[in-house]
Amino acid sequence: METETITITLEKETVACKKGMTLYELSREYQKNYEYPIIVAKCDGVIRELYHEVPQDAHVEFCTTKDKDGARVYFRGISMILLKAIYKEIPRENIERVSFEFCLDTGYFCRIDGAVEMNEELLRRIEMRMRKYVAKDIPFEKKVIRTRDAGRLFEELHMHEKGKLMQYRKNSRMTVYHLGKFTDYYYGAMPYSTSILQYFKLDLFEDGFVFIIPKSDSPVTMPEFSPSMKQYRTLQETNEWSRKLRVSTVGELNQEIVSGHMQDLMLTQEALHEKKIGDIAVQIAERNCRIVTIAGPSSSGKTTFSYRLSTQLKTLGLKPHPIALDDYFVNRVDTPRAEDGTYNYECLEAIDTRQFNKDLGMLLQGQTVQLPTYNFVTGCREYDKEPLTLEENEILVIEGIHGLNDKLTYAIPKENKFKIYISALTTLNLDGHNRIPTTEGRLLRRIIRDARTRGNSARKTISMWNSVRAGETLNIFPFQEQADAMFNSALIYELAAMKLYADPLLFQVTPDCPEYSEAQRLLKFLDYFIPIDPHDVPLNSILREFIGGGILLG
């Protein structure tokens, strides 16, 4: 009797395979064609775990540990191994909560609350047990159960945050994962088994520990852990805000929404932002700085922040003058080009730093300067502004990608500069074990803003995101520790407020697009949130920069 076969497209090749064959079995046959281990597959643009059967007539792509989707799966797999080891080494009754709080450099900061003394000896025992699980090649088993049964299960396991998350799920059924006798819930696909998860390390850090895994661009090399302590303190401050507001997870946020407490939560969060901005303004005034530079990654809310900072500076008797760094672009014919031949406006060489420093120096000396305006149509600088003279109580506020890089203001004495780093560093997580990457909120902010102000589709914004992130890695993140102050623009409630804007845009991405799987991932993620009325967002909120309707930017 002949074996029945089916036909698929694997990458760009037509392949016949045995009916009933799993994606894992197929991946073993083709692993030799890939430099890094295959960890998950895409079937017609949808992420599928390898235990699934190969679907008839599907377009199949394998994702390795170097791919973005593969790296996410690797992280989730390591997370479950770590939790299984923790609950094996520490009696469950001694653990109140295990939380993966935020990403810090190449590590993920974790805390174990309860009757637990975290020390080097305990951490080494946990790591050794993890390595034993990897060596045993334990399969990750997926099981679909009723959502209410899952809620009860996690309450019995003292994982109360998961129980609260399940309480607001609309789907009647959901998936849980088993790793041996350990059970947990994860948002997103998991690996086939533990043997692929060989690269990790645990280190004590502050009042918890970090687990370090390879970066996606080098998935078999363990990186150094060199955290930004300023960023760590900023994230811890935000965590403390969340704990005081009793909203650290999506389940707790949803509870606030259904309880009718959202307006109070919004106003409190915005007041915390305003207090922080005011504190930064006081630091600037006390140091008598004449130049303030503001830098941060895409969709951090830099423009709204600069308006609100300027308002706070005015309350201290100072008069801020904004200077747009874009006005100091070199003429287009002199602009460096990227590898693909397009103009590279993000590199420092695209800025006429010589003229910029000359003008700033003259202003600090009390001289009158004619500042330029860059004409994006002609690609040349023009001089049509009123001349500027900087009086004693006046300061310059400069927003731009290179604001933290001293090469931008090389001729200005350090005592005259105050550098601010701003980013949207969300510390809200789905639950203790399912963290929300800090880039998630920024990407959704940009999708909404680009659709509103530039007419860009979600597909186009998603397609550009990797390039945007690469520019940030090169031009912004290496300089964040040099900042005099950091401001976290993330808002606890913003994802619930953005849901009504983002969903229609993401649904427009069709299955034939390369960006389809990312759009579907974001839609699934947003499904955890109960939406709130965006009209309730305060009119001066940083979120208004993206959803519109604000009093600062419109």
Side-chain angles (χ1 to χ4, degrees), residues 67-83:
D67 300 315
K68 182 172 60 176
D69 291 308
R72 292 190 184 110
V73 176
Y74 193 98
F75 170 81
R76 286 191 287 268
I78 283 287
S79 298
M80 191 166 185
I81 291 178
L82 171 57
L83 285 162

Side-chain angles (χ1 to χ4, degrees), residues 233-282:
R233 286 190 287 271
T234 300
L235 287 163
Q236 283 292 63
E237 179 183 54
T238 307
N239 263 351
E240 186 61 30
W241 287 0
S242 298
R243 281 191 284 269
K244 287 179 179 177
L245 295 172
R246 298 184 180 180
V247 183
S248 298
T249 66
V250 174
E252 291 170 338
L253 175 64
N254 287 337
Q255 187 173 52
E256 290 294 298
I257 294 171
V258 300
S259 300
H261 299 151
M262 273 312 297
Q263 191 169 45
D264 183 58
L265 178 65
M266 283 181 174
L267 293 174
T268 303
Q269 170 82 97
E270 295 292 348
L272 287 167
H273 265 193
E274 200 62 43
K275 182 180 184 304
K276 183 66 176 179
I277 296 171
D279 291 343
I280 293 173
V282 169

Side-chain angles (χ1 to χ4, degrees), residues 19 26 59 69 175 195 249 273 299 322 356 371 394 424 430 443 478:
K19 185 176 182 180
L26 185 66
H59 180 267
D69 291 308
T175 58
S195 61
T249 66
H273 265 193
S299 303
F356 183 63
L371 298 176
E394 296 180 332
L430 287 180
L443 175 54

Side-chain angles (χ1 to χ4, degrees), residues 210-223:
V210 291
F211 72 89
I212 304 161
I213 57 177
K215 297 180 179 180
S216 60
D217 60 355
S218 185
V220 296
T221 304
M222 285 302 298

Side-chain angles (χ1 to χ4, degrees), residues 25-89:
E25 291 169 332
L26 185 66
S27 73
R28 295 307 88 197
E29 291 185 11
Y30 285 87
Q31 178 62 69
K32 61 182 180 293
N33 298 336
Y34 296 83
E35 183 178 0
Y36 298 103
I38 295 169
I39 192 168
V40 75
K42 279 185 186 177
C43 298
D44 294 326
V46 178
I47 298 294
R48 302 296 295 262
E49 290 156 314
L50 295 181
Y51 75 85
H52 287 285
E53 290 186 5
V54 179
Q56 169 75 41
D57 298 327
H59 180 267
V60 177
E61 299 174 74
F62 284 125
C63 300
T64 72
T65 51
K66 186 172 183 178
D67 300 315
K68 182 172 60 176
D69 291 308
R72 292 190 184 110
V73 176
Y74 193 98
F75 170 81
R76 286 191 287 268
I78 283 287
S79 298
M80 191 166 185
I81 291 178
L82 171 57
L83 285 162
K84 179 178 170 68
I86 287 172
Y87 281 104
K88 193 69 176 178
E89 289 295 334

